[in-house]
Amino acid sequence: TRRSSDLYSSVLALVKDQDADIRRAAIEILNQTKDERAVNHLIEATHDKDWWVSERAIDALSEIGSRKAVPRLVEMLQTGNARSMPVVLRALGKLGDHKIIDPVLQSLTRPEKEIRIEAMSTLAKIADERRIEHIRVQLQAQQANNSDATIQQAAIQALQQLDTRYSASAVVANKKAAQFAEPAKTLLMDNRELEAVVKSAEVAQAQKLDIATLKPGDIIEGRYKFKIGRAHV
């Protein structure tokens, strides 16, 4: 309906608001709606100087599933903030394909453990038959050349996932699934549904941003630790 469209347009406009809290609330709404109409706005929001807005925009793009975001995510992987790279790599694991293997491989040389762990997981998801052996060697090297047990375990899990993807039975099953897969469709919300989502997101965002209720050590969004008035990855 026209009212629903106007409401959605208002939410999109708030993504560029000068107030960071308002931008955060708008991004949370877009995270819940998962509407492809927001893709361009979310890509633009990855440039936001507020790390929360930028990273939640990446999460939203990942949930929508539009590969239009891949070039921007690869750019962020190569030139972006190291703190955001694990989030970028997770998104690329959902959206990317074998064409982005090289920049993801480069992430294995990073000193940050979290980045290397996410890079290994992403490689296991995007590997193709042509590069599978090269990727396998790289993962085995991560397992053998690191004394950190967490990295070793991540390498083992990535190798197992790679083997599962390319076992003979898995290849046959994937081909059959592709033959019968229906084209993805965007489900547009009616006005009442959108208003309900907006209200829910506003409540959720208000809770997230109310630092008075947070205690040192509380975990936000499953990956941010609250400490002395600030959230740390």
Side-chain angles (χ1 to χ4, degrees):
T1 65
R2 179 176 179 179
R3 183 182 175 189
S4 177
S5 179
D6 290 344
L7 180 59
Y8 194 79
S9 296
S10 297
V11 173
L12 292 177
L14 293 177
V15 175
K16 296 183 178 180
D17 195 272
Q18 293 184 353
D19 190 311
D21 287 346
I22 292 177
R23 297 199 305 276
R24 290 183 178 192
I27 288 293
E28 291 304 322
I29 294 170
L30 296 180
N31 259 287
Q32 294 191 46
T33 58
K34 299 178 177 63
D35 195 312
E36 289 190 2
R37 292 177 295 177
V39 167
N40 289 336
H41 293 79
L42 290 167
I43 291 174
E44 182 64 26
T46 64
H47 293 275
D48 200 288
K49 60 184 179 181
D50 185 298
W51 59 268
W52 184 302
V53 173
S54 177
E55 291 190 11
R56 291 298 283 159
I58 296 169
D59 290 337
L61 288 165
S62 174
E63 290 300 318
I64 291 172
S66 174
R67 290 193 175 183
K68 187 176 182 180
V70 170
R72 169 57 183 156
L73 294 175
V74 171
E75 178 187 2
M76 294 184 74
L77 190 62
Q78 296 172 325
T79 63
N81 190 320
R83 180 176 61 187
S84 298
M85 286 186 182
V87 183
V88 173
L89 284 163
R90 278 195 294 273
L92 286 173
K94 289 185 177 182
L95 302 178
D97 56 27
H98 65 278
K99 296 178 183 178
I100 64 166
I101 286 176
D102 287 333
V104 176
L105 277 171
Q106 292 172 9
S107 299
L108 291 179
T109 64
R110 298 279 309 193
E112 299 90 348
K113 179 171 69 174
E114 294 79 7
I115 294 176
R116 285 151 62 194
I117 288 173
E118 288 298 339
M120 288 187 282
S121 177
T122 298
L123 286 168
K125 294 181 177 73
I126 65 176
D128 64 346
E129 293 181 359
R130 186 175 65 87
R131 302 288 296 276
I132 183 174
E133 289 307 321
H134 177 65
I135 290 174
R136 192 191 305 277
V137 169
Q138 296 298 316
L139 294 175
Q140 290 170 340
Q142 289 291 318
Q143 178 187 356
N145 299 333
N146 286 283
S147 58
D148 190 295
T150 306
I151 292 180
Q152 291 177 345
Q153 185 59 35
I156 292 171
Q157 291 176 349
L159 285 165
Q160 291 173 341
Q161 185 176 357
L162 204 60
D163 290 339
T164 299
R165 282 188 61 206
Y166 284 97
S167 67
S169 57
V171 171
V172 172
N174 289 338
K175 287 182 178 179
K176 287 184 177 179
Q179 291 175 351
F180 294 100
E182 293 183 358
K185 298 179 180 178
T186 300
L187 300 179
L188 301 180
M189 295 184 173
D190 63 24
N191 186 55
R192 288 178 298 177
E193 290 174 325
L194 182 56
E195 287 181 334
V197 169
V198 171
K199 183 176 181 180
S200 174
E202 288 174 345
V203 172
Q205 184 65 16
Q207 293 173 342
K208 289 190 180 95
L209 298 176
D210 185 3
I211 63 173
T213 65
L214 297 176
K215 302 184 296 295
D218 283 353
I219 301 299
I220 305 171
E221 287 296 321
R223 59 175 181 263
Y224 305 119
K225 180 180 290 186
F226 184 78
K227 181 180 179 181
I228 316 179
R230 297 177 60 193
H232 299 262
V233 176

